[in-house]
Amino acid sequence: IDPKQALQPARVKWFDRGKGFGFVNIFGQAEDIFIHMEVLQACGLSELLPGEAICIKTADGPRGRMVWNVQVWDHAVTQQV
């Protein structure tokens, strides 16, 4: 995990709160990236909706790429200004 990694724009492919996980795609890339409910909660979020725009930081996990930081789009955009 690189704390200096830049936030990347992504879109929620699907998220199932009952299962506690989902997948997102970085804009312009087809790769599915795993996101876990614990990451949402650690970042102050409780739900993601399909198609929602977010910003993420990723790392390689034991089963592929995974999100380790997620921010709502509006928060991420205001931090860039």
Side-chain angles (χ1 to χ4, degrees):
I1 296 176
D2 178 6
K4 294 181 182 179
Q5 179 186 27
L7 287 167
Q8 297 179 289
R11 188 157 314 273
V12 178
K13 184 173 183 177
W14 66 268
F15 187 83
D16 187 320
R17 189 173 182 187
K19 292 181 179 179
F21 70 92
F23 290 91
V24 301
N25 305 104
I26 292 174
F27 288 173
Q29 298 180 18
E31 177 188 15
D32 289 343
I33 303 170
F34 180 80
I35 186 165
H36 196 273
M37 186 70 172
E38 289 179 5
V39 172
L40 289 184
Q41 292 170 340
C43 295
L45 302 173
S46 61
E47 182 99 35
L48 292 176
L49 301 174
E52 183 176 356
I54 56 174
C55 287
I56 61 173
K57 294 183 181 186
T58 64
D60 289 327
R63 294 198 240 167
R65 262 171 96 187
M66 56 186 279
V67 175
W68 65 270
N69 186 303
V70 60
Q71 301 293 325
V72 295
W73 184 257
D74 291 344
H75 171 81
V77 170
T78 59
Q79 297 302 310
Q80 303 290 326
V81 177

